[in-house]
Amino acid sequence: MANPQPPRIHSTAIISPEAELADDVQIGPHVLIAGAVRLGPGCVIRPHATLCGPLTMGRANQVFSGAVLGERPQHCKYQGEPTSVAIGDDNTFRENVTVHRGTTESQTTRIGNKNYFMAGSHVGHDCQIGNRCIFANGALTGGHCRIGDSVLLSGNSGVHQFTRIGRLAVLGAVSVSTKDIPPFIIQERINTVVGLNLVGMRRSQIPRDAVEAVRQAYDIIFRQGQILSAALALLEKEFGQVPPVMEMVTFIRQSKRGINATHHFHDSGNQVVVFRPPLKLEESFVPVA
């Protein structure tokens, strides 16, 4: 004799009358759905998760135990305005993930499709998250951040408020960025560019000649010691027909916070770390020999 199917909505769940749930949504024990929450087909909400409206979620999202989506922003000036969170399809929110709704400045925190938020990660108010991103355990974004597609924020990394991160960029574990990170760049430690995400570019099927052009662009921007505006002008002249290179150029030109530079290690008995300052369009830096 077959076991009976468990109920679609557990009897201990508390669901607001304002909520709109697709027919096949699964709600686990002790889930709290407060206010105007709309869940699309195939969503699964696991035990002890909390969803606060206004919140909309598309298809096939999974929310694990202890996650809190749509709560009030951690912003001292927030006065209870009816801001919201909008989430796309096929996202995973693991244990104790927090996503805060917008403030009055932009109204909505937005998350795209197929993102994976590991345990304890955080999306701050007014953030705009692209598609296919991975936030590893403990990765944090401050308010108003803009995260492009296929970005990896490694474990216990932090992104300063109002910072932008370009497509396929990587922020290493236990690292922090207070400046924008251009597409395809890898950063580690505090505000330090260390290389290119070549593996991610190849997996994304960027053509080999375009990858090579990005490598040359990296060398021109970060290693040749030119004024940044001059380096970008050179890239436009030499690689104007290579979309990934122009993606980097456009991103940097639009940056308001500036971008970070590289540094080198010297070892003459004791290791000495020489840092280069963040770069802005009108600034230059001198390479370390």
Side-chain angles (χ1 to χ4, degrees), residues 136-181:
N137 298 62
L140 311 174
T141 59
H144 307 279
C145 292
R146 302 292 185 269
I147 310 298
D149 293 344
S150 302
V151 166
L152 169 59
L153 302 183
S154 303
N156 295 312
S157 60
V159 181
H160 193 278
Q161 61 183 351
F162 291 100
T163 296
R164 299 160 57 238
I165 300 183
R167 180 169 71 103
L168 284 166
V170 176
L171 183 60
V174 200
S175 299
V176 174
S177 186
T178 65
K179 302 294 182 181
D180 293 345
I181 305 178

Side-chain angles (χ1 to χ4, degrees), residues 4 60 89 108 112 138 145 151 163 189 193 259 262 269 283:
D89 304 331
T108 302
C145 292
V151 166
T163 296
R189 298 178 287 278
V193 172
I259 64 171
T262 60
E283 294 178 343

Side-chain angles (χ1 to χ4, degrees), residues 96-109:
N96 302 313
V97 170
T98 52
V99 177
H100 289 166
R101 62 179 178 260
T103 61
T104 54
E105 182 169 333
S106 67
Q107 299 293 328
T108 302
T109 301

Side-chain angles (χ1 to χ4, degrees), residues 38 49 53 70 78 83 106 118 134 140 154 185 206 216 241 264:
R38 179 181 299 174
Y78 182 73
T83 57
S106 67
M118 296 185 188
I134 296 176
L140 311 174
S154 303
I185 293 296
I206 294 175
Q216 295 180 53
Q241 303 304 314
H264 290 286

Side-chain angles (χ1 to χ4, degrees), residues 90-247:
D90 297 301
N91 297 287
T92 299
F93 301 88
R94 291 303 303 253
E95 296 83 357
N96 302 313
V97 170
T98 52
V99 177
H100 289 166
R101 62 179 178 260
T103 61
T104 54
E105 182 169 333
S106 67
Q107 299 293 328
T108 302
T109 301
R110 297 187 183 277
I111 295 174
N113 306 317
K114 300 182 182 299
N115 298 290
Y116 200 108
F117 299 90
M118 296 185 188
S121 56
H122 172 68
V123 177
H125 58 81
D126 303 288
C127 286
Q128 312 291 303
I129 312 298
N131 306 309
R132 300 177 301 280
C133 297
I134 296 176
F135 284 44
N137 298 62
L140 311 174
T141 59
H144 307 279
C145 292
R146 302 292 185 269
I147 310 298
D149 293 344
S150 302
V151 166
L152 169 59
L153 302 183
S154 303
N156 295 312
S157 60
V159 181
H160 193 278
Q161 61 183 351
F162 291 100
T163 296
R164 299 160 57 238
I165 300 183
R167 180 169 71 103
L168 284 166
V170 176
L171 183 60
V174 200
S175 299
V176 174
S177 186
T178 65
K179 302 294 182 181
D180 293 345
I181 305 178
F184 321 121
I185 293 296
I186 300 175
Q187 277 194 196
E188 293 181 356
R189 298 178 287 278
I190 298 177
N191 288 343
T192 305
V193 172
V194 298
L196 285 169
N197 182 15
L198 298 175
V199 173
M201 295 176 71
R202 291 166 182 152
R203 287 177 177 172
S204 296
Q205 299 183 336
I206 294 175
R208 181 175 298 180
D209 58 345
V211 173
E212 178 58 31
V214 170
R215 294 181 66 157
Q216 295 180 53
Y218 177 89
D219 186 70
I220 291 170
I221 294 171
F222 295 103
R223 291 177 174 168
Q224 293 188 4
Q226 300 190 57
I227 295 173
L228 186 55
S229 57
L232 298 181
L234 177 60
L235 293 179
E236 289 176 319
K237 178 180 178 181
E238 299 293 331
F239 301 102
Q241 303 304 314
V242 182
V245 174
M246 295 312 299
E247 183 178 346

